Amino acid sequence: MASVTEIQSAITSINNRLSTTGANAPTREEQAELLKARSALVSLLASTYGTIQEAGQVFQSDALYQAQKTAIDFIAKEKERAKSN
């Protein structure tokens, strides 16, 4: 998977190409393809940031603590059960 820096670089490159004027300006077809590619990259970047943000919220939330507590309680019960057997 591409890094955030690579995605941002690709978006910048597309923007630079779209802003080219004169004889080297992209054709309408090229513009359409570049816009599609830029849109896909922006979506990927937004998804990446969203995933990172969600992961950060889990680690900063009570949900992680509760999950750890549940796992510890389960292990303690299983340890006691094993002892009694």
Side-chain angles (χ1 to χ4, degrees), residues 7-85:
I7 296 168
Q8 289 172 328
S9 176
I11 291 170
T12 299
S13 178
I14 289 170
N15 288 338
N16 289 341
R17 179 69 182 122
L18 286 169
S19 66
T20 303
T21 58
N24 292 327
T27 63
R28 292 233 183 252
E29 292 81 21
E30 262 187 309
Q31 286 176 347
E33 290 301 314
L34 289 168
L35 290 171
K36 279 187 205 175
R38 182 176 68 182
S39 179
L41 289 169
V42 168
S43 293
L44 178 61
L45 193 57
S47 173
T48 301
Y49 280 132
T51 302
I52 291 168
Q53 183 180 20
E54 287 171 12
Q57 288 172 352
V58 169
F59 289 115
Q60 294 174 0
S61 72
D62 191 48
L64 179 60
Y65 170 76
Q66 291 301 326
Q68 289 172 336
K69 186 174 182 327
T70 300
I72 290 168
D73 291 345
F74 175 78
I75 291 167
K77 285 177 188 175
E78 287 299 306
K79 184 178 174 184
E80 285 302 315
R81 189 177 66 81
K83 258 190 212 178
S84 66
N85 287 339

